[in-house]
Amino acid sequence: MKISLALLVLLLAAAWIGGQGMSFQSHRSNCCSQDMFLHKKIPEAKIQGYKYTPSTCTHKAVLVKLERGLVCVDPRKKWFQEYLRKKESNSTST
């Protein structure tokens, strides 16, 4: 009986620690390091979506969704700002 209770406690502790590790890991995967940034312009037709990285990240970035995955983009890039303006004007004109 004592062994069963001890095993249950260990399993619960492992599950809790594993869950904490996963949430930390997924948070970090939403951040971009300096060497992860794509510096060339992405054609608008290839952009499937985007989201800003959390404010807790070291570098401000936008995760741009492409057919082959996510890339990091500097949100201050002129081409990205133009993309946002076009997207905003298209959504307000419909």
Side-chain angles (χ1 to χ4, degrees):
M1 177 75 174
K2 288 183 182 181
I3 293 173
S4 304
L5 183 59
L7 284 173
L8 179 62
V9 169
L10 284 173
L11 285 172
L12 289 173
W16 183 78
I17 290 170
Q20 294 297 316
M22 289 301 286
S23 66
F24 176 74
Q25 194 174 35
S26 64
H27 167 72
R28 296 296 291 163
S29 67
N30 288 329
C31 292
C32 299
S33 64
Q34 192 72 31
D35 60 334
M36 293 171 67
F37 281 84
L38 183 69
H39 297 286
K40 65 179 185 171
K41 180 180 177 179
I42 301 170
E44 290 179 28
K46 293 191 177 211
I47 298 175
Q48 297 179 349
Y50 67 92
K51 69 176 184 175
Y52 288 89
T53 56
S55 60
T56 54
C57 294
T58 305
H59 303 285
K60 285 191 175 194
V62 177
L63 292 169
V64 176
K65 183 179 180 193
L66 305 174
E67 187 175 298
R68 292 190 276 167
L70 295 172
V71 293
C72 299
V73 173
D74 183 342
R76 298 170 296 187
K77 289 282 189 182
K78 184 178 178 181
W79 71 263
F80 187 73
Q81 290 296 315
E82 289 172 3
Y83 167 78
L84 290 177
R85 275 192 288 277
K86 285 182 186 177
K87 187 162 181 65
E88 185 177 296
S89 68
N90 287 341
S91 67
T92 57
S93 64
T94 56

